[in-house]
mmCIF file of all heavy atoms in Angstrom:
data_model
loop_
_atom_site.group_PDB
_atom_site.id
_atom_site.type_symbol
_atom_site.label_atom_id
_atom_site.label_comp_id
_atom_site.label_asym_id
_atom_site.label_seq_id
_atom_site.Cartn_x
_atom_site.Cartn_y
_atom_site.Cartn_z
ATOM 1 N N ASN U 84 112.816 103.336 102.745
ATOM 2 C CA ASN U 84 114.151 102.825 103.044
ATOM 3 C C ASN U 84 114.287 101.450 102.419
ATOM 4 O O ASN U 84 113.293 100.700 102.342
ATOM 5 C CB ASN U 84 114.362 102.747 104.556
ATOM 6 C CG ASN U 84 115.807 102.445 104.918
ATOM 7 O OD1 ASN U 84 116.201 101.297 105.053
ATOM 8 N ND2 ASN U 84 116.606 103.477 105.071
ATOM 9 N N TYR U 85 115.494 101.123 101.956
ATOM 10 C CA TYR U 85 115.730 99.854 101.276
ATOM 11 C C TYR U 85 117.020 99.208 101.771
ATOM 12 O O TYR U 85 117.984 99.907 102.119
ATOM 13 C CB TYR U 85 115.865 100.064 99.764
ATOM 14 C CG TYR U 85 114.664 100.679 99.114
ATOM 15 C CD1 TYR U 85 114.546 102.063 99.001
ATOM 16 C CD2 TYR U 85 113.640 99.882 98.589
ATOM 17 C CE1 TYR U 85 113.433 102.642 98.402
ATOM 18 C CE2 TYR U 85 112.538 100.448 97.983
ATOM 19 C CZ TYR U 85 112.437 101.827 97.895
ATOM 20 O OH TYR U 85 111.332 102.391 97.293
ATOM 21 N N VAL U 86 117.056 97.904 101.733
ATOM 22 C CA VAL U 86 118.312 97.206 101.968
ATOM 23 C C VAL U 86 119.215 97.496 100.771
ATOM 24 O O VAL U 86 118.730 97.680 99.635
ATOM 25 C CB VAL U 86 118.078 95.691 102.154
ATOM 26 C CG1 VAL U 86 117.578 95.040 100.879
ATOM 27 C CG2 VAL U 86 119.333 95.009 102.662
ATOM 28 N N ASP U 87 120.512 97.572 101.000
ATOM 29 C CA ASP U 87 121.437 97.986 99.952
ATOM 30 C C ASP U 87 121.335 97.118 98.694
ATOM 31 O O ASP U 87 121.465 97.615 97.573
ATOM 32 C CB ASP U 87 122.872 97.945 100.470
ATOM 33 C CG ASP U 87 123.182 99.107 101.400
ATOM 34 O OD1 ASP U 87 122.392 100.067 101.445
ATOM 35 O OD2 ASP U 87 124.210 99.042 102.096
ATOM 36 N N SER U 88 121.088 95.844 98.869
ATOM 37 C CA SER U 88 121.105 94.917 97.731
ATOM 38 C C SER U 88 119.970 95.134 96.738
ATOM 39 O O SER U 88 120.025 94.618 95.618
ATOM 40 C CB SER U 88 121.066 93.472 98.235
ATOM 41 O OG SER U 88 119.889 93.232 98.987
ATOM 42 N N VAL U 89 118.939 95.900 97.107
ATOM 43 C CA VAL U 89 117.817 96.133 96.189
ATOM 44 C C VAL U 89 117.690 97.588 95.772
ATOM 45 O O VAL U 89 116.832 97.910 94.948
ATOM 46 C CB VAL U 89 116.473 95.645 96.793
ATOM 47 C CG1 VAL U 89 116.578 94.215 97.289
ATOM 48 C CG2 VAL U 89 115.969 96.575 97.881
ATOM 49 N N LYS U 90 118.522 98.447 96.311
ATOM 50 C CA LYS U 90 118.435 99.871 95.962
ATOM 51 C C LYS U 90 118.637 100.056 94.467
ATOM 52 O O LYS U 90 119.544 99.480 93.864
ATOM 53 C CB LYS U 90 119.480 100.667 96.738
ATOM 54 C CG LYS U 90 119.128 100.871 98.202
ATOM 55 C CD LYS U 90 120.198 101.679 98.930
ATOM 56 C CE LYS U 90 119.817 101.866 100.393
ATOM 57 N NZ LYS U 90 120.871 102.596 101.145
ATOM 58 N N GLY U 91 117.782 100.883 93.870
ATOM 59 C CA GLY U 91 117.849 101.127 92.442
ATOM 60 C C GLY U 91 117.100 100.101 91.608
ATOM 61 O O GLY U 91 116.914 100.301 90.409
ATOM 62 N N ARG U 92 116.669 98.999 92.235
ATOM 63 C CA ARG U 92 115.934 97.956 91.499
ATOM 64 C C ARG U 92 114.502 97.802 92.014
ATOM 65 O O ARG U 92 113.594 97.496 91.243
ATOM 66 C CB ARG U 92 116.651 96.613 91.635
ATOM 67 C CG ARG U 92 118.059 96.610 91.084
ATOM 68 C CD ARG U 92 118.645 95.196 91.054
ATOM 69 N NE ARG U 92 118.762 94.599 92.384
ATOM 70 C CZ ARG U 92 118.175 93.459 92.746
ATOM 71 N NH1 ARG U 92 117.421 92.794 91.891
ATOM 72 N NH2 ARG U 92 118.345 92.978 93.975
ATOM 73 N N PHE U 93 114.301 97.968 93.314
ATOM 74 C CA PHE U 93 112.976 97.792 93.927
ATOM 75 C C PHE U 93 112.411 99.150 94.321
ATOM 76 O O PHE U 93 113.151 100.052 94.725
ATOM 77 C CB PHE U 93 113.064 96.924 95.176
ATOM 78 C CG PHE U 93 113.365 95.469 94.938
ATOM 79 C CD1 PHE U 93 113.788 94.998 93.702
ATOM 80 C CD2 PHE U 93 113.229 94.555 95.970
ATOM 81 C CE1 PHE U 93 114.064 93.653 93.494
ATOM 82 C CE2 PHE U 93 113.496 93.205 95.796
ATOM 83 C CZ PHE U 93 113.918 92.765 94.546
ATOM 84 N N THR U 94 111.090 99.262 94.254
ATOM 85 C CA THR U 94 110.408 100.472 94.691
ATOM 86 C C THR U 94 109.191 100.093 95.517
ATOM 87 O O THR U 94 108.337 99.327 95.051
ATOM 88 C CB THR U 94 109.962 101.324 93.496
ATOM 89 O OG1 THR U 94 111.098 101.657 92.685
ATOM 90 C CG2 THR U 94 109.297 102.608 93.984
ATOM 91 N N ILE U 95 109.111 100.641 96.720
ATOM 92 C CA ILE U 95 107.936 100.434 97.573
ATOM 93 C C ILE U 95 107.036 101.652 97.457
ATOM 94 O O ILE U 95 107.508 102.791 97.392
ATOM 95 C CB ILE U 95 108.348 100.172 99.042
ATOM 96 C CG1 ILE U 95 107.137 99.774 99.882
ATOM 97 C CG2 ILE U 95 109.087 101.369 99.642
ATOM 98 C CD1 ILE U 95 107.499 99.301 101.290
ATOM 99 N N SER U 96 105.732 101.410 97.409
ATOM 100 C CA SER U 96 104.782 102.504 97.315
ATOM 101 C C SER U 96 103.492 102.096 98.010
ATOM 102 O O SER U 96 103.277 100.913 98.291
ATOM 103 C CB SER U 96 104.510 102.881 95.859
ATOM 104 O OG SER U 96 103.950 101.779 95.167
ATOM 105 N N VAL U 97 102.656 103.071 98.282
ATOM 106 C CA VAL U 97 101.411 102.790 98.991
ATOM 107 C C VAL U 97 100.272 103.559 98.345
ATOM 108 O O VAL U 97 100.443 104.686 97.876
ATOM 109 C CB VAL U 97 101.555 103.147 100.490
ATOM 110 C CG1 VAL U 97 101.801 104.634 100.684
ATOM 111 C CG2 VAL U 97 100.344 102.685 101.282
ATOM 112 N N ASP U 98 99.133 102.931 98.282
ATOM 113 C CA ASP U 98 97.898 103.546 97.816
ATOM 114 C C ASP U 98 96.910 103.475 98.969
ATOM 115 O O ASP U 98 96.262 102.453 99.181
ATOM 116 C CB ASP U 98 97.366 102.818 96.583
ATOM 117 C CG ASP U 98 96.158 103.499 95.976
ATOM 118 O OD1 ASP U 98 95.458 104.255 96.703
ATOM 119 O OD2 ASP U 98 95.888 103.278 94.791
ATOM 120 N N ASN U 99 96.827 104.564 99.725
ATOM 121 C CA ASN U 99 95.977 104.546 100.921
ATOM 122 C C ASN U 99 94.502 104.423 100.564
ATOM 123 O O ASN U 99 93.714 103.885 101.334
ATOM 124 C CB ASN U 99 96.221 105.794 101.757
ATOM 125 C CG ASN U 99 97.520 105.714 102.541
ATOM 126 O OD1 ASN U 99 97.932 104.654 102.978
ATOM 127 N ND2 ASN U 99 98.186 106.843 102.710
ATOM 128 N N ALA U 100 94.120 104.903 99.403
ATOM 129 C CA ALA U 100 92.714 104.805 98.991
ATOM 130 C C ALA U 100 92.312 103.346 98.776
ATOM 131 O O ALA U 100 91.151 102.988 98.962
ATOM 132 C CB ALA U 100 92.483 105.612 97.725
ATOM 133 N N LYS U 101 93.292 102.528 98.384
ATOM 134 C CA LYS U 101 93.022 101.112 98.138
ATOM 135 C C LYS U 101 93.518 100.218 99.270
ATOM 136 O O LYS U 101 93.444 98.997 99.171
ATOM 137 C CB LYS U 101 93.669 100.683 96.822
ATOM 138 C CG LYS U 101 93.090 101.376 95.602
ATOM 139 C CD LYS U 101 93.739 100.875 94.323
ATOM 140 C CE LYS U 101 93.132 101.537 93.100
ATOM 141 N NZ LYS U 101 93.744 101.061 91.844
ATOM 142 N N ASN U 102 94.057 100.833 100.322
ATOM 143 C CA ASN U 102 94.602 100.055 101.448
ATOM 144 C C ASN U 102 95.611 99.013 100.974
ATOM 145 O O ASN U 102 95.596 97.860 101.433
ATOM 146 C CB ASN U 102 93.491 99.364 102.231
ATOM 147 C CG ASN U 102 92.687 100.340 103.070
ATOM 148 O OD1 ASN U 102 92.952 101.536 103.055
ATOM 149 N ND2 ASN U 102 91.711 99.833 103.781
ATOM 150 N N THR U 103 96.484 99.411 100.082
ATOM 151 C CA THR U 103 97.414 98.463 99.469
ATOM 152 C C THR U 103 98.819 99.054 99.409
ATOM 153 O O THR U 103 98.985 100.233 99.103
ATOM 154 C CB THR U 103 96.950 98.084 98.053
ATOM 155 O OG1 THR U 103 95.632 97.521 98.126
ATOM 156 C CG2 THR U 103 97.889 97.075 97.427
ATOM 157 N N VAL U 104 99.800 98.202 99.703
ATOM 158 C CA VAL U 104 101.198 98.576 99.528
ATOM 159 C C VAL U 104 101.777 97.683 98.437
ATOM 160 O O VAL U 104 101.397 96.517 98.306
ATOM 161 C CB VAL U 104 101.989 98.447 100.845
ATOM 162 C CG1 VAL U 104 102.016 97.019 101.337
ATOM 163 C CG2 VAL U 104 103.388 99.008 100.694
ATOM 164 N N PHE U 105 102.663 98.248 97.639
ATOM 165 C CA PHE U 105 103.239 97.549 96.499
ATOM 166 C C PHE U 105 104.754 97.453 96.641
ATOM 167 O O PHE U 105 105.388 98.296 97.280
ATOM 168 C CB PHE U 105 102.906 98.282 95.202
ATOM 169 C CG PHE U 105 101.440 98.488 94.972
ATOM 170 C CD1 PHE U 105 100.843 99.697 95.302
ATOM 171 C CD2 PHE U 105 100.659 97.487 94.417
ATOM 172 C CE1 PHE U 105 99.488 99.902 95.094
ATOM 173 C CE2 PHE U 105 99.308 97.677 94.202
ATOM 174 C CZ PHE U 105 98.713 98.887 94.536
ATOM 175 N N LEU U 106 105.311 96.446 96.012
ATOM 176 C CA LEU U 106 106.753 96.337 95.864
ATOM 177 C C LEU U 106 107.038 96.018 94.400
ATOM 178 O O LEU U 106 106.796 94.890 93.958
ATOM 179 C CB LEU U 106 107.337 95.265 96.774
ATOM 180 C CG LEU U 106 108.874 95.189 96.782
ATOM 181 C CD1 LEU U 106 109.459 96.453 97.413
ATOM 182 C CD2 LEU U 106 109.370 93.946 97.518
ATOM 183 N N GLN U 107 107.487 97.023 93.669
ATOM 184 C CA GLN U 107 107.866 96.838 92.278
ATOM 185 C C GLN U 107 109.300 96.350 92.246
ATOM 186 O O GLN U 107 110.195 97.031 92.757
ATOM 187 C CB GLN U 107 107.733 98.141 91.497
ATOM 188 C CG GLN U 107 108.151 98.047 90.045
ATOM 189 C CD GLN U 107 107.245 97.148 89.226
ATOM 190 O OE1 GLN U 107 106.019 97.208 89.351
ATOM 191 N NE2 GLN U 107 107.834 96.305 88.392
ATOM 192 N N MET U 108 109.513 95.185 91.648
ATOM 193 C CA MET U 108 110.844 94.575 91.622
ATOM 194 C C MET U 108 111.306 94.448 90.181
ATOM 195 O O MET U 108 110.700 93.715 89.394
ATOM 196 C CB MET U 108 110.805 93.203 92.303
ATOM 197 C CG MET U 108 110.227 93.240 93.716
ATOM 198 S SD MET U 108 110.352 91.665 94.583
ATOM 199 C CE MET U 108 109.279 90.655 93.571
ATOM 200 N N ASN U 109 112.350 95.171 89.833
ATOM 201 C CA ASN U 109 112.916 95.146 88.486
ATOM 202 C C ASN U 109 114.323 94.550 88.524
ATOM 203 O O ASN U 109 114.943 94.468 89.578
ATOM 204 C CB ASN U 109 112.966 96.553 87.909
ATOM 205 C CG ASN U 109 111.600 97.181 87.787
ATOM 206 O OD1 ASN U 109 110.599 96.496 87.559
ATOM 207 N ND2 ASN U 109 111.533 98.503 87.936
ATOM 208 N N SER U 110 114.811 94.166 87.356
ATOM 209 C CA SER U 110 116.166 93.613 87.230
ATOM 210 C C SER U 110 116.409 92.522 88.269
ATOM 211 O O SER U 110 117.430 92.510 88.964
ATOM 212 C CB SER U 110 117.210 94.726 87.386
ATOM 213 O OG SER U 110 117.011 95.738 86.432
ATOM 214 N N LEU U 111 115.477 91.610 88.354
ATOM 215 C CA LEU U 111 115.544 90.570 89.374
ATOM 216 C C LEU U 111 116.741 89.661 89.176
ATOM 217 O O LEU U 111 117.150 89.371 88.036
ATOM 218 C CB LEU U 111 114.253 89.764 89.400
ATOM 219 C CG LEU U 111 113.088 90.478 90.095
ATOM 220 C CD1 LEU U 111 111.753 89.866 89.691
ATOM 221 C CD2 LEU U 111 113.261 90.417 91.601
ATOM 222 N N LYS U 112 117.275 89.197 90.289
ATOM 223 C CA LYS U 112 118.438 88.316 90.304
ATOM 224 C C LYS U 112 118.073 87.020 91.031
ATOM 225 O O LYS U 112 117.165 87.016 91.865
ATOM 226 C CB LYS U 112 119.593 88.988 91.035
ATOM 227 C CG LYS U 112 119.994 90.341 90.493
ATOM 228 C CD LYS U 112 121.069 90.978 91.353
ATOM 229 C CE LYS U 112 121.470 92.338 90.831
ATOM 230 N NZ LYS U 112 122.533 92.965 91.670
ATOM 231 N N PRO U 113 118.782 85.941 90.739
ATOM 232 C CA PRO U 113 118.486 84.679 91.445
ATOM 233 C C PRO U 113 118.547 84.822 92.964
ATOM 234 O O PRO U 113 117.777 84.161 93.671
ATOM 235 C CB PRO U 113 119.565 83.732 90.917
ATOM 236 C CG PRO U 113 119.861 84.242 89.546
ATOM 237 C CD PRO U 113 119.760 85.739 89.659
ATOM 238 N N GLU U 114 119.408 85.693 93.455
ATOM 239 C CA GLU U 114 119.515 85.882 94.903
ATOM 240 C C GLU U 114 118.325 86.620 95.504
ATOM 241 O O GLU U 114 118.231 86.746 96.721
ATOM 242 C CB GLU U 114 120.810 86.602 95.270
ATOM 243 C CG GLU U 114 121.066 87.876 94.502
ATOM 244 C CD GLU U 114 121.974 87.642 93.303
ATOM 245 O OE1 GLU U 114 121.796 86.649 92.568
ATOM 246 O OE2 GLU U 114 122.872 88.509 93.096
ATOM 247 N N ASP U 115 117.419 87.088 94.675
ATOM 248 C CA ASP U 115 116.176 87.691 95.172
ATOM 249 C C ASP U 115 115.118 86.625 95.484
ATOM 250 O O ASP U 115 114.048 86.946 96.003
ATOM 251 C CB ASP U 115 115.597 88.675 94.160
ATOM 252 C CG ASP U 115 116.480 89.881 93.939
ATOM 253 O OD1 ASP U 115 117.019 90.411 94.929
ATOM 254 O OD2 ASP U 115 116.631 90.299 92.770
ATOM 255 N N THR U 116 115.407 85.397 95.157
ATOM 256 C CA THR U 116 114.472 84.306 95.401
ATOM 257 C C THR U 116 114.169 84.152 96.884
ATOM 258 O O THR U 116 115.066 84.226 97.723
ATOM 259 C CB THR U 116 115.042 82.986 94.857
ATOM 260 O OG1 THR U 116 115.116 83.065 93.428
ATOM 261 C CG2 THR U 116 114.174 81.794 95.251
ATOM 262 N N GLY U 117 112.889 83.937 97.199
ATOM 263 C CA GLY U 117 112.491 83.730 98.581
ATOM 264 C C GLY U 117 111.005 83.950 98.758
ATOM 265 O O GLY U 117 110.293 84.271 97.802
ATOM 266 N N VAL U 118 110.565 83.783 99.982
ATOM 267 C CA VAL U 118 109.189 84.108 100.333
ATOM 268 C C VAL U 118 109.175 85.548 100.823
ATOM 269 O O VAL U 118 109.935 85.917 101.723
ATOM 270 C CB VAL U 118 108.636 83.167 101.425
ATOM 271 C CG1 VAL U 118 107.213 83.571 101.792
ATOM 272 C CG2 VAL U 118 108.687 81.725 100.945
ATOM 273 N N TYR U 119 108.319 86.340 100.229
ATOM 274 C CA TYR U 119 108.225 87.760 100.554
ATOM 275 C C TYR U 119 107.021 87.995 101.454
ATOM 276 O O TYR U 119 105.909 87.562 101.136
ATOM 277 C CB TYR U 119 108.115 88.596 99.282
ATOM 278 C CG TYR U 119 109.439 88.769 98.593
ATOM 279 C CD1 TYR U 119 110.081 87.699 97.984
ATOM 280 C CD2 TYR U 119 110.081 90.014 98.569
ATOM 281 C CE1 TYR U 119 111.314 87.850 97.369
ATOM 282 C CE2 TYR U 119 111.317 90.173 97.952
ATOM 283 C CZ TYR U 119 111.929 89.076 97.360
ATOM 284 O OH TYR U 119 113.150 89.237 96.752
ATOM 285 N N TYR U 120 107.275 88.687 102.564
ATOM 286 C CA TYR U 120 106.251 88.964 103.551
ATOM 287 C C TYR U 120 105.996 90.459 103.660
ATOM 288 O O TYR U 120 106.928 91.264 103.698
ATOM 289 C CB TYR U 120 106.678 88.455 104.921
ATOM 290 C CG TYR U 120 106.877 86.965 105.007
ATOM 291 C CD1 TYR U 120 108.127 86.399 104.753
ATOM 292 C CD2 TYR U 120 105.831 86.123 105.350
ATOM 293 C CE1 TYR U 120 108.319 85.022 104.829
ATOM 294 C CE2 TYR U 120 106.011 84.761 105.443
ATOM 295 C CZ TYR U 120 107.258 84.218 105.185
ATOM 296 O OH TYR U 120 107.437 82.865 105.272
ATOM 297 N N CYS U 121 104.741 90.789 103.789
ATOM 298 C CA CYS U 121 104.311 92.153 104.067
ATOM 299 C C CYS U 121 104.093 92.280 105.572
ATOM 300 O O CYS U 121 103.601 91.341 106.215
ATOM 301 C CB CYS U 121 103.022 92.406 103.296
ATOM 302 S SG CYS U 121 102.196 93.943 103.644
ATOM 303 N N ALA U 122 104.430 93.446 106.131
ATOM 304 C CA ALA U 122 104.249 93.664 107.563
ATOM 305 C C ALA U 122 103.732 95.083 107.799
ATOM 306 O O ALA U 122 103.997 95.981 106.985
ATOM 307 C CB ALA U 122 105.562 93.456 108.304
ATOM 308 N N SER U 123 103.044 95.272 108.914
ATOM 309 C CA SER U 123 102.535 96.608 109.223
ATOM 310 C C SER U 123 102.546 96.857 110.727
ATOM 311 O O SER U 123 102.596 95.926 111.532
ATOM 312 C CB SER U 123 101.118 96.782 108.680
ATOM 313 O OG SER U 123 100.197 96.032 109.441
ATOM 314 N N ARG U 124 102.515 98.128 111.078
ATOM 315 C CA ARG U 124 102.408 98.516 112.475
ATOM 316 C C ARG U 124 101.836 99.929 112.546
ATOM 317 O O ARG U 124 102.018 100.747 111.623
ATOM 318 C CB ARG U 124 103.760 98.486 113.171
ATOM 319 C CG ARG U 124 104.783 99.433 112.604
ATOM 320 C CD ARG U 124 105.844 99.784 113.614
ATOM 321 N NE ARG U 124 105.335 100.681 114.655
ATOM 322 C CZ ARG U 124 105.908 100.838 115.828
ATOM 323 N NH1 ARG U 124 107.012 100.165 116.137
ATOM 324 N NH2 ARG U 124 105.401 101.675 116.705
ATOM 325 N N TRP U 125 101.175 100.220 113.638
ATOM 326 C CA TRP U 125 100.677 101.562 113.905
ATOM 327 C C TRP U 125 101.872 102.503 114.050
ATOM 328 O O TRP U 125 102.860 102.163 114.702
ATOM 329 C CB TRP U 125 99.848 101.565 115.181
ATOM 330 C CG TRP U 125 99.420 102.928 115.624
ATOM 331 C CD1 TRP U 125 100.061 103.746 116.508
ATOM 332 C CD2 TRP U 125 98.274 103.649 115.182
ATOM 333 N NE1 TRP U 125 99.379 104.917 116.654
ATOM 334 C CE2 TRP U 125 98.269 104.891 115.862
ATOM 335 C CE3 TRP U 125 97.232 103.355 114.299
ATOM 336 C CZ2 TRP U 125 97.269 105.833 115.675
ATOM 337 C CZ3 TRP U 125 96.240 104.303 114.127
ATOM 338 C CH2 TRP U 125 96.253 105.516 114.800
ATOM 339 N N ALA U 126 101.781 103.677 113.448
ATOM 340 C CA ALA U 126 102.860 104.649 113.534
ATOM 341 C C ALA U 126 102.369 105.899 114.265
ATOM 342 O O ALA U 126 101.377 106.507 113.865
ATOM 343 C CB ALA U 126 103.343 105.019 112.135
ATOM 344 N N THR U 127 103.086 106.282 115.324
ATOM 345 C CA THR U 127 102.701 107.477 116.074
ATOM 346 C C THR U 127 102.901 108.739 115.238
ATOM 347 O O THR U 127 102.247 109.753 115.472
ATOM 348 C CB THR U 127 103.519 107.580 117.370
ATOM 349 O OG1 THR U 127 104.911 107.546 117.032
ATOM 350 C CG2 THR U 127 103.194 106.426 118.306
#
């Protein structure tokens, strides 16, 4: 799921073998500037 402002430009993916989640950000805009945080939670 994505916020509307990044749809079509950002892609989230996960590599469970490497315990890593990625955020590919293309066509970046000045309004994308900020501190980016990763978050996690147990999922039932």
Side-chain angles (χ1 to χ4, degrees):
N84 190 270
Y85 300 90
V86 66
D87 285 347
S88 60
V89 309
K90 285 180 180 177
R92 299 189 298 121
F93 290 12
T94 303
I95 188 171
S96 61
V97 63
D98 186 337
N99 284 326
K101 296 182 178 180
N102 287 1
T103 302
V104 63
F105 304 98
L106 186 67
Q107 178 66 44
M108 306 186 295
N109 299 328
S110 302
L111 283 161
K112 304 175 181 180
E114 51 264 43
D115 295 318
T116 293
V118 178
Y119 282 69
Y120 297 91
C121 173
S123 72
R124 62 156 287 160
W125 173 267
T127 55

